[in-house]
Every structure is written in C-alpha cells, then in structure tokens.
Amino acid sequence: MLDTPTDIHPLFYGAPSTTEYKKLRKRIIRQTREAVEDFGMVERGAKWLVCLSGGKDSYTLLAALTELKWRGMLPVEILACNLDQGQPNFPATVLPEFLEKMGVPHRIEYQDTYSIVKDKVPAGRTYCAMCSRLRRGNLYRIAREEGCSAVVLGHHRDDILETFMMNLFHGGRLATMPPKLLNEEGDLFVYRPLAYVAEEDCEKFSRAMNYPIIPCDLCGSQDGLQRQQVKQILDGWEKNSPGRRQVMFRSLMNARPSHLLDPKLFDFVGLSRSGDGADEAQDTQGKAGDTPPILS
C-alpha cells in the first residue's frame, strides 16, 4: 500500500486517505520526475542542496524529491538547507525541529541579509531583486562548502510563466527562469524540478499535509509588486478560460525562431526562396497538424 507507515517516508505520515489527495500526490510526483528527466538533471551520485524557505512550494519540492529518492527513482544525495535571513520575528526553530523530526539531513545557515536590503533599497522600491541576489550568493557558497553539484529551488510552473510575462511587459525580452541553469562561474547547476507543477497543487498539497508554513514578511509586506499585477492578469484569464495557464506554459516549450524577430536566433538575411535558407525556415514550423497554424 502506498500510504502505510512502513512504505512511505516520514514526510508523508498523516497524509489524507482521500482519492483526491492521492491523485494530487501522484500528479506532483509524476510531474517532478518528468521535469527531472526532460531537462537532464540527474548526475548519478551527485549531491543536491535543496533550498527550503518554509513556504508551500519548498515543502512540496522537498517532499516530492524525497519520495522519488525513497523509491529509488532519484539517485542523488539530498541536503535540505534553510537560509535564515534575519527577518524580524522569523520563527527560527520551526524548520530545524521539522527537519529533525522528519529525519531529513539539513543545514541551517544564519546570514542577516534583511538589514542589508532594508539599508540599501530606497524607500518605495521593491526588495526582491537585492534580496534574491544576496540569498543566491549565500546558497552558492553553502553548496560549495557541502560538496554539492546543484542548488535546487522550488519555483513552479506559475512562477516560470509569471517571470516570462514580467520580462515581456517590463523587460522587453522573451525570457524566463529555466528548469536547468549553469551558474556564471560554471561550477554549479541550478535546478527547478517543480517546473511542471501548478502553484495551486503546491498549495493544496502543503495544506493537506499540514506543513508548518512560514510567510515571507519582507517582500510580502509591499503592495503593488509587478509580480502580483501579472498574477492578477493571469488569474483573470484563467477564470474566463480555464486551462489558459497551461496552454501559455506549453508555448514556452514550443518556440518558433523563424516566426519571431530576433536575427541572432534565425538567419533572416540568409533566407531565400530556394536552398538551405528556405528549408531551414520550413523545418522550424514542424509537421502539419502538430499545433494550430501561426498567423503571419
């Protein structure tokens, strides 16, 4: 049986026995495994630094990866890591006690980046960019100290889609957070195994498991963030046309360089009515019937 105490990791003790929950859990595990395989994340015998913030997404990430490892589907060593950034009233004992109880190898690191962010960011500006840079630098350092080959983050499908929309609306580029990235120094991978998992599923899963959620009081206290605006737009589209988020996400996996405007990605100058250029253009369009036609 899937949910007997002798056949599951402690992270899943007390899981609901409802059919709805079992479907949710299986979907998350399946989608996580697919992302790991599709983007070539596994190096056998590697060690991963799995970042745990205490939010719903990182708990879902830890549970999904632990389940895959528990069942022999993820041949890597997992080290959970929480970076305590010195936020006021942060419940510093929650995660250590939780990880100890669950028998998860972990490292808790204290670095007061909160004071730096509050001091350096002008009033009225958002904290996310600097906070993220400082956090990422510390996580890279910890990964190296622990002999890890990858830093693993809990960004899900909706995070990736929202980042794409923010780059589109505010950054003037087509880009998002990739599921697999090599850092600038070239010595660490950054993985996002929840790339196919919906935020709603992370919310339902962590709530069903009653994990001790810790809110972010730094950026979460600011109103009018660009990401929140984008989220509201996507929420509206999803409400009016259910499934729209997934269709938009699929488009990120189906790029057509010949039907965009970037001459660095497609040789428009070399395109001719016959020969290699025309053949290349045709090849990028795929086989007839694969997807709806592109309007041109």
Side-chain angles (χ1 to χ4, degrees):
M1 293 293 292
L2 185 64
D3 291 313
T4 57
T6 58
D7 195 36
I8 60 172
H9 189 274
L11 278 167
F12 290 92
Y13 285 177
S17 59
T18 63
T19 300
E20 181 182 8
Y21 168 79
K22 291 180 180 179
K23 288 182 177 179
L24 170 66
R25 172 178 166 181
K26 288 180 180 178
R27 181 167 63 249
I28 290 174
I29 300 301
R30 173 178 53 80
Q31 290 174 336
T32 302
R33 185 182 183 186
E34 288 175 353
V36 168
E37 293 177 350
D38 288 351
F39 297 100
M41 298 182 188
V42 172
E43 295 177 288
R44 187 170 293 273
K47 185 177 182 180
W48 287 5
L49 189 76
V50 179
C51 302
L52 190 68
S53 67
K56 66 183 188 309
D57 308 330
S58 62
Y59 278 121
T60 302
L61 172 69
L62 179 64
L65 295 180
T66 301
E67 171 83 352
L68 290 174
K69 178 177 173 60
W70 181 259
R71 302 197 175 280
M73 300 177 184
L74 188 64
V76 302
E77 181 180 350
I78 292 176
L79 177 67
C81 177
N82 171 250
L83 179 63
D84 181 346
Q85 297 179 261
Q87 296 181 30
N89 303 316
F90 180 79
T93 62
V94 170
L95 284 173
E97 291 176 355
F98 173 82
L99 293 168
E100 197 71 39
K101 179 181 178 181
M102 297 299 165
V104 176
H106 61 277
R107 172 171 169 174
I108 306 297
E109 179 84 5
Y110 178 80
Q111 291 290 331
D112 185 9
T113 63
Y114 176 86
S115 298
I116 298 174
V117 171
K118 294 285 287 186
D119 179 63
K120 298 296 184 182
V121 177
R125 300 289 297 274
T126 60
Y127 301 132
C128 295
M130 176 172 283
C131 179
S132 178
R133 286 197 301 271
L134 293 174
R135 181 172 62 249
R136 187 68 57 88
N138 278 290
L139 291 174
Y140 284 170
R141 172 183 55 80
I142 296 169
R144 295 183 181 108
E145 291 174 357
E146 295 290 345
C148 296
S149 60
V151 173
V152 186
L153 306 175
H155 296 125
H156 45 65
R157 180 201 68 179
D158 297 75
D159 287 325
I160 292 173
L161 184 56
E162 289 163 12
T163 300
F164 172 79
M165 299 297 288
M166 289 174 64
N167 280 316
L168 178 66
F169 292 155
H170 304 289
R173 59 184 178 272
L174 299 181
T176 188
M177 300 182 294
K180 180 179 182 179
L181 175 72
L182 187 63
N183 71 337
E184 292 182 359
E185 293 80 5
D187 65 332
L188 291 170
F189 283 115
V190 177
Y191 294 150
R192 296 181 173 94
L194 297 186
Y196 294 160
V197 179
E199 180 178 19
E200 183 181 14
D201 282 354
C202 293
E203 173 72 32
K204 291 179 179 177
F205 178 79
S206 59
R207 185 170 62 245
M209 292 306 305
N210 198 32
Y211 291 144
I213 304 299
I214 301 174
C216 174
D217 294 326
L218 184 60
C219 57
S221 65
Q222 294 176 291
D223 296 326
L225 292 177
Q226 294 175 349
R227 185 172 292 273
Q228 289 301 319
Q229 295 171 354
V230 167
K231 186 184 290 288
Q232 291 172 6
I233 293 172
L234 292 172
D235 285 344
W237 288 344
E238 185 71 21
K239 181 179 180 180
N240 293 329
S241 183
R244 185 58 48 200
R245 268 193 170 92
Q246 183 60 20
V247 172
M248 296 176 67
F249 180 80
R250 283 175 55 199
S251 72
L252 298 178
M253 305 175 66
N254 189 25
R256 304 289 182 88
S258 65
H259 286 67
L260 296 173
L261 284 75
D262 191 341
K264 297 186 294 297
L265 295 180
F266 186 82
D267 184 13
F268 292 100
V269 175
L271 184 63
S272 62
R273 285 185 295 274
S274 62
D276 293 339
D279 292 340
E280 184 179 357
Q282 290 298 321
D283 288 343
T284 63
Q285 297 181 37
K287 297 179 180 179
D290 285 351
T291 56
I294 295 175
L295 300 179
S296 57

